[in-house]
Amino acid sequence: MAQGGPLMLTVDYDRLGLLAGDRLLDIGAGFGRHAYEALRRGANVVACDWGWDELSECRTYLDAIRVAGESPESASGSATRADIGRLPFPDHSFDRIIASEILEHIPDDSRAVAELWRVLRPGGSLAVTVPSWLPERICWALSSDYHAPAAEGGHVRIYTEAGMRRLLAGAGFAPGATHHAHALHAPYWWLRCAVGPENDTNPLVRAYHKVLCWDIERQPTVTRVTEQVLNPLIGKSVVVYATRPAREHARTA
């Protein structure tokens, strides 16, 4: 079975409105966790990232899901290297877009969001996830090595939920629902920042990592309930859903 176990999903596909047959762009796909689930739900998925290693593994698993019969025959999945600031797709190419944990890395986030607006069809929907303000602020305070410029390709800014909504609205989107996710991951990253973000051998870091892996694989009730309670307070990620209005007013450049 290809990636058959539970995945750590940040986006709620029901809130995104994903339907079988939809064209989905997963930008900043990484190793493909959101792309895999979308393919299993019958979407026609294009996973994009800038890293060759991530894309290679993502492409392998997308193919494996199809071969294993874990997705409908009508669904398709591909992986493409792309720059979010200059996407290689025609206007209105996609019904849905997921941009997960990517905008905090992009110096010109306004241009990136404008590109997402361009390739999304009128009436389509978007889910953007970025690190939440409070957990991220603590990480930055604990270690300068966690973010840019010390961390090459690291986070260049901290978003508030209101700031993200303004960014999307400025590009022409209509922001809607929002929620937080992965509260159990926030203390893990605080710990990593406290001992050094690259210190994977610290005993406490290794022990906490095992707990997180156990939680993802087993999804026990105790951790699911705990995370639901803590998400509004210390959820590591915030998700903002938005639509490109079916009828659009003329925008100022």
Side-chain angles (χ1 to χ4, degrees):
M1 176 177 284
Q3 288 284 307
L7 298 171
M8 193 188 83
L9 299 176
T10 308
V11 171
D12 183 329
Y13 291 85
D14 293 331
R15 297 192 197 198
L16 180 62
L18 183 69
L19 301 173
D22 279 351
R23 300 161 296 168
L24 172 78
L25 172 64
D26 181 10
I27 183 72
F31 292 105
R33 58 197 175 101
H34 285 107
Y36 305 151
E37 178 63 20
L39 180 61
R40 290 190 176 107
R41 289 173 177 245
N44 296 304
V45 180
V46 178
C48 290
D49 207 290
W50 192 246
W52 286 113
D53 292 340
E54 292 90 339
L55 279 178
S56 178
E57 183 167 328
C58 181
R59 185 179 293 114
T60 296
Y61 279 120
L62 287 170
D63 291 343
I65 288 170
R66 299 280 290 120
V67 170
E70 296 178 19
S71 62
E73 287 292 331
S74 58
S76 64
S78 62
T80 302
R81 190 171 189 247
D83 176 359
I84 191 174
R86 197 182 299 272
L87 293 172
F89 308 112
D91 296 355
H92 310 165
S93 294
F94 298 97
D95 303 298
R96 318 289 171 198
I97 295 176
I98 294 175
S100 180
E101 311 297 312
I102 181 173
L103 290 179
E104 67 273 14
H105 297 272
I106 308 301
D108 192 349
D109 58 347
S110 294
R111 177 175 176 173
V113 172
E115 273 292 271
L116 299 180
W117 186 91
R118 181 184 66 81
V119 301
L120 184 65
R121 67 164 173 83
S125 59
L126 164 81
V128 173
T129 90
V130 293
S132 298
W133 180 84
L134 177 59
E136 187 75 347
R137 177 60 69 188
I138 294 173
C139 286
W140 282 50
L142 287 172
S143 175
S144 60
D145 292 332
Y146 169 80
H147 57 86
E152 183 178 357
H155 300 178
V156 298
R157 72 180 61 81
I158 301 175
Y159 289 101
T160 63
E161 180 185 322
M164 175 54 64
R165 297 176 75 87
R166 285 194 298 270
L167 178 66
L168 294 173
F173 289 104
T178 185
H179 65 84
H180 292 75
H182 312 314
L184 296 181
H185 290 250
Y188 171 73
W189 281 102
W190 298 339
L191 177 60
R192 286 197 62 164
C193 288
V195 302
E198 300 301 320
N199 186 356
D200 295 328
T201 61
N202 180 274
L204 292 177
V205 170
R206 294 178 66 180
Y208 203 142
H209 185 264
K210 288 181 179 179
V211 171
L212 293 178
C213 290
W214 169 77
D215 173 56
I216 293 170
E217 293 170 1
R218 300 295 180 88
Q219 298 189 336
T221 300
V222 62
T223 57
R224 296 302 86 218
V225 171
T226 300
E227 192 156 72
Q228 287 177 10
V229 172
L230 293 178
N231 273 338
L233 302 174
I234 60 168
K236 184 68 170 67
S237 297
V238 59
V239 190
V240 178
Y241 301 87
T243 58
R244 176 171 173 171
R247 291 188 177 185
E248 297 165 340
H249 300 288
R251 294 188 306 150
T252 302

